[in-house]
């Protein structure tokens, strides 16, 4: 399990006082109000930044970091990712998981068939969809609902699922 979880990507600067626009990669954009620090991946190193101000504009968050007080300094962080430690991550409810923890899980059916590994998670309006990939086979798009996901074991890196009738055929027609 990764110790850092991505919460956003700096898209551009905002104004001349060092503020940046951030595209949030977290479900709860309001969580930025509670964050005191984030970790910036500069590409060369991880740097902890203290959040001095938070505003919201359309689908983005505008952040002001302590010590970054001009547009030129802020400009060098464009397209860089922001992370939080697991300790500062949002608390999950029962049967909720971080996407970073789901990617790579080995998936087997409730009948014992090895289906592949989760390679991505699509976030739709209704429910997430797990993409299960296996070499030489079409991807399986599995809705993340109780009828399909029977058991998740993050620590052992596995998930047991039930494929609803017709699910595999629907996915194969799209290939």
């Amino acid at each position: 399990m990764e110790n850092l979880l991505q919460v956003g990507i700096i898209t551009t600067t905002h104004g001349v006082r060092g503020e940046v626009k951030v595209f949030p990669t977290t479900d709860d954009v309001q969580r930025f109000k509670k964050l005191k620090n984030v970790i910036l991946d500069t590409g060369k190193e991880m740097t902890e930044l203290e959040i001095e101000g938070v505003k919201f504009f359309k689908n983005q968050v505008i952040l002001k970091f302590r010590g970054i007080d001009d547009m030129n300094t802020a400009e060098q962080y464009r397209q860089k990712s922001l992370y939080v430690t697991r300790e500062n991550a949002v608390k999950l409810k029962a049967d909720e998981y971080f996407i970073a923890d789901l990617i790579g899980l080995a998936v087997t059916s409730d009948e014992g068939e090895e289906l592949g590994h989760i390679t991505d998670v699509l976030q739709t309006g209704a429910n997430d969809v797990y993409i299960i990939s296996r070499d030489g086979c079409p991807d399986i798009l599995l809705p993340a609902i109780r009828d399909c996901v029977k058991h998740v074991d993050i620590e052992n890196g596995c998930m047991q699922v039930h494929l609803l009738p017709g699910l595999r055929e629907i996915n194969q027609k799209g290939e």
Side-chain angles (χ1 to χ4, degrees), residues 1-21:
M1 292 194 306
E2 297 177 25
N3 189 38
L4 298 177
L5 300 167
Q6 186 182 57
V7 292
I9 300 169
I10 296 174
T11 58
T12 188
T13 59
H14 178 78
V16 296
R17 295 196 169 106
E19 293 178 314
V20 294
K21 288 183 183 178

Side-chain angles (χ1 to χ4, degrees), residues 52-65:
E52 206 172 73
V54 178
K55 297 186 272 188
F56 300 96
F57 180 72
K58 296 185 180 180
N59 66 338
Q60 297 201 0
V61 181
I62 298 172
L63 296 180
K64 170 69 176 89
F65 299 115

Side-chain angles (χ1 to χ4, degrees), residues 87-130:
E87 295 79 38
N88 290 325
V90 294
K91 303 301 177 223
L92 297 175
K93 298 175 187 161
D95 296 327
E96 286 186 337
Y97 307 94
F98 293 115
I99 291 174
D101 293 340
L102 294 171
I103 302 293
L105 290 183
V107 182
T108 57
S109 74
D110 51 2
E111 297 171 347
E113 179 186 0
E114 292 183 19
L115 300 174
H117 290 83
I118 295 179
T119 56
D120 203 356
V121 177
L122 302 176
Q123 295 180 292
T124 67
N127 54 265
D128 289 350
V129 176
Y130 300 151

Side-chain angles (χ1 to χ4, degrees), residues 118-164:
I118 295 179
T119 56
D120 203 356
V121 177
L122 302 176
Q123 295 180 292
T124 67
N127 54 265
D128 289 350
V129 176
Y130 300 151
I131 299 179
I132 303 169
S133 301
R134 187 170 84 189
D135 288 342
C137 298
D139 288 349
I140 297 172
L141 303 178
L142 183 82
I145 57 175
R146 288 188 195 277
D147 288 347
C148 292
V149 180
K150 295 303 178 184
H151 180 72
V152 178
D153 185 347
I154 298 291
E155 294 204 3
N156 291 310
C158 59
M159 177 186 289
Q160 185 183 58
V161 302
H162 172 72
L163 293 180
L164 296 172

